Amino acid sequence: MRFGGVVKRKRVVVIGAGAAGLAAAERLVAGNADVAILEASDRVGGRIRSLEGFADIPIELGAEEVHGLENCLVPLVGQAGAELLRHETVHDYIRYDGKLISLEAARAGEDLREAFEFVANVSHYDGPAWTVEQYLVARHVPGHAWHYLDSRLGVEHGTTLDRLGMRGFVGYERNWQLREENYTVRQPYVRLLDPLLAVVQDRIRFGATVARIEWGGVEVVVRLAGGEQRRADAVIFTGSVAVLRDGGPEFVPALPPEKREAVASIGMDGGMKILLKFRKRFWPADMYFLHSDTFLPQFWNPGKGRGGRTHVLTAFVSGTRADFLRNLEIDLVEFALGELDRVFGERVASGNFKEAYVADWTMEPFIRGLYSFPLAQTEPRHREALAAPLGGVLHFAGEATDMEGHSGTVHGAIASGRRAAAEILETAGLSAGCRS
Ligand SMILES: Cc1cc2nc3c(=O)[nH]c(=O)nc-3n(C[C@H](O)[C@H](O)[C@H](O)COP(=O)(O)OP(=O)(O)OC[C@H]3O[C@@H](n4cnc5c(N)ncnc54)[C@H](O)[C@@H]3O)c2cc1C
């Protein structure tokens, strides 16, 4: 901005030091803005968090895979000195009706034909605003196909089939299918953010919970929980859609109706990872994912291809199943071991158990769940309304604001942060594919 020949640097406050916030701040610094990042927790990464010391490799509590090679996370992988390891679905297993068979064998057989056909054709859906479960029930899809889909689609989207909307797949499927091409890294996943962090590290203030955002004037006043306030020419809020839904900071004036409708219309459910360490391996040597017809729908071997020697399985449950389990108030570790005993045989898992770690993302006060997904009623306009800036001063980023089918991912979050930074710098926006 130029006043009488003096160039005034834009003061920008970025709320959140997750992937979106760091990516936004890095672009703003490059654009010569005066940037401060306020982060409520005591660490960077948000929904990217690596657990070190549990096994001989880092185990991911949040994001674990890089989805596809055509996105803006991939250049950061190279800059961070990390190496992508391809996850081949040939190493996936399915358990149904007491059988444990490879995904390849299941594909060649008849039993799960309806499930594979559903996955192949879901993008052509033009029916009513149903959930996937409503569709499957109306089609009399058998239980074993239903269970596979609950893991393959429900868990993949951080929910359960009774919440996942059919229409969300329309026009979205191409990018969703890119998630077929998955990679992991040997390094802690959070290290992939290092190239961004190198630029913005000294601008982050931790333990800084934003309680109120006053955005009605030419500048924004951001008030912290302790009462301190900061003034800025622009603010980018990157907290999750569940944080906005469940209260979040107070906005003054209140968010307009279309923003509130968007928040209420985009799904984001709870979920947890249960990490289980064993004395020895009892699952097939080549197994990566296990899609199971037990109550816990999905297990995987996080060490696969990453050179770990510790025997660890991750159990993942989301949506209404995760809520159901939490409300039962049972011992989650014992429950998970019981599920594995059912799959692999009497006391095979429980008899070899060493140690566990439970990461319940629903209980994280500044995240409150997994990641956004389409409900039955979600329409593309809801993501547009969530992303729309207000009053020329209040901007929104974060994975849920992605409009090109990359929501729920790290690269979608990065692209959204860069889009919001471009709005402020008034430079050309980047596409979410983020080909820069
Ligand atoms: C279990 C799990 C598995 C996943 N697996 C994958 C995967 O394999 N691949 C993939 O690409 N993606 C995966 N994701 C999704 C991915 O992690 C997210 O899409 C992405 O990290 C979101 O980044 P973000 O910056 O939008 O939000 P966040 O990471 O949520 O960052 C927002 C930040 O804002 C802070 N904040 C919120 N409110 C306030 C406030 N009032 N004041 C100050 N700070 C505040 C929060 O503390 C947080 O640090 C997974 C997520 C989870 C939870």
Side-chain angles (χ1 to χ4, degrees):
M1 213 184 284
R2 189 174 282 277
F3 293 104
V6 179
V7 176
K8 186 171 172 278
R9 291 172 75 206
K10 265 192 174 157
R11 296 163 303 162
V12 185
V13 167
V14 176
I15 303 171
L22 296 179
E26 186 248 6
R27 281 295 150 102
L28 289 163
V29 168
N32 197 32
D34 176 8
V35 184
I37 306 175
L38 303 178
E39 168 56 53
S41 75
D42 57 2
R43 53 176 195 86
V44 296
R47 282 171 268 174
I48 303 173
R49 192 186 306 178
S50 308
L51 177 66
E52 298 196 59
F54 182 78
D56 55 351
I57 52 166
I59 304 288
E60 300 305 333
L61 303 178
E64 190 153 344
E65 293 186 316
V66 176
H67 302 298
L69 294 177
E70 298 286 317
N71 66 63
C72 55
L73 177 58
V74 172
L76 296 182
V77 174
Q79 289 163 31
E83 183 200 349
L84 291 173
L85 307 165
R86 178 78 198 257
H87 154 213
E88 307 283 356
T89 53
V90 69
H91 301 301
D92 291 354
Y93 280 75
I94 303 181
R95 195 262 191 183
Y96 66 96
D97 297 346
K99 294 181 256 186
L100 183 68
I101 64 171
S102 74
L103 183 64
E104 294 308 297
R107 278 213 174 101
E110 268 298 296
D111 287 359
L112 292 161
R113 183 179 49 80
E114 281 155 298
F116 296 123
E117 280 177 6
F118 178 87
V119 171
N121 297 319
V122 63
S123 64
H124 305 305
Y125 180 74
D126 61 358
W130 275 353
T131 63
V132 174
E133 184 172 84
Q134 284 172 316
Y135 179 88
L136 297 181
V137 169
R139 296 286 159 119
H140 309 289
V141 170
H144 47 260
W146 187 96
H147 274 291
Y148 170 65
L149 290 171
D150 192 40
S151 173
R152 181 70 186 77
L153 294 185
V155 175
E156 172 80 28
H157 286 85
T159 184
T160 30
L161 298 182
D162 58 329
R163 305 257 305 145
L164 185 62
M166 285 293 293
R167 285 185 172 173
F169 290 102
V170 180
Y172 180 78
E173 196 256 0
R174 188 183 64 81
N175 290 324
W176 171 73
Q177 288 292 6
L178 283 180
R179 298 185 201 187
E180 287 274 90
E181 195 192 327
N182 292 327
Y183 299 83
T184 49
V185 288
R186 282 206 181 82
Q187 294 77 358
Y189 198 106
V190 71
R191 294 274 73 83
L192 304 185
L193 301 179
D194 279 357
L196 304 174
L197 208 50
V199 179
V200 303
Q201 185 131 37
D202 56 354
R203 292 157 196 271
I204 307 173
R205 185 151 150 217
F206 294 104
T209 304
V210 172
R212 186 174 155 111
I213 302 170
E214 295 165 12
W215 58 277
V218 286
E219 61 176 16
V220 191
V221 180
V222 172
R223 291 187 195 274
L224 299 187
E228 188 190 328
Q229 68 177 54
R230 277 190 99 105
R231 290 173 185 278
D233 300 306
V235 164
I236 303 179
F237 182 77
T238 73
S240 72
V241 69
V243 163
L244 286 172
R245 183 192 62 205
D246 297 350
E250 181 189 4
F251 290 91
V252 181
L255 295 177
E258 55 284 7
K259 188 75 86 179
R260 282 184 274 142
E261 186 201 1
V263 169
S265 302
I266 296 172
M268 179 165 157
D269 281 355
M272 56 183 104
K273 281 185 178 178
I274 306 171
L275 312 177
L276 302 160
K277 188 158 76 183
F278 298 98
R279 268 187 282 280
K280 65 172 196 189
R281 174 181 61 75
F282 50 82
W283 50 92
D286 65 342
M287 186 186 98
Y288 187 20
F289 270 88
L290 167 60
H291 305 284
S292 179
D293 61 356
T294 43
F295 187 84
L296 293 180
Q298 198 178 88
F299 298 86
W300 67 89
N301 166 13
K304 175 84 187 146
R306 296 172 68 212
R309 290 175 170 274
T310 322
H311 307 298
V312 178
L313 288 181
T314 300
F316 191 34
V317 60
S318 51
T320 46
R321 287 194 194 209
D323 296 341
F324 182 87
L325 270 187
R326 191 176 311 102
N327 293 334
L328 270 185
E329 294 182 8
I330 54 169
D331 184 322
L332 292 170
V333 175
E334 261 178 39
F335 182 78
L337 291 170
E339 297 278 90
L340 286 169
D341 281 346
R342 186 159 277 277
V343 175
F344 292 101
E346 179 95 20
R347 290 202 47 77
V348 167
S350 51
N352 281 299
F353 173 66
K354 275 178 86 174
E355 199 186 344
Y357 187 98
V358 179
D360 187 349
W361 287 90
T362 324
M363 307 310 284
E364 293 291 318
F366 301 105
I367 291 177
R368 295 175 182 261
L370 294 172
Y371 35 87
S372 67
F373 66 89
L375 293 161
Q377 73 271 21
T378 310
E379 295 174 19
R381 72 182 170 88
H382 293 129
R383 297 218 186 247
E384 280 165 31
L386 189 68
L390 297 175
V393 289
L394 178 56
H395 300 256
F396 292 83
E399 56 85 10
T401 67
D402 172 84
M403 288 169 277
E404 295 186 22
H406 300 279
S407 55
T409 67
V410 172
H411 63 268
I414 291 172
S416 76
R418 290 180 177 169
R419 185 253 313 138
E423 288 165 6
I424 292 170
L425 297 170
E426 293 166 29
T427 54
L430 290 163
S431 82
C434 217
R435 283 169 280 276
S436 73

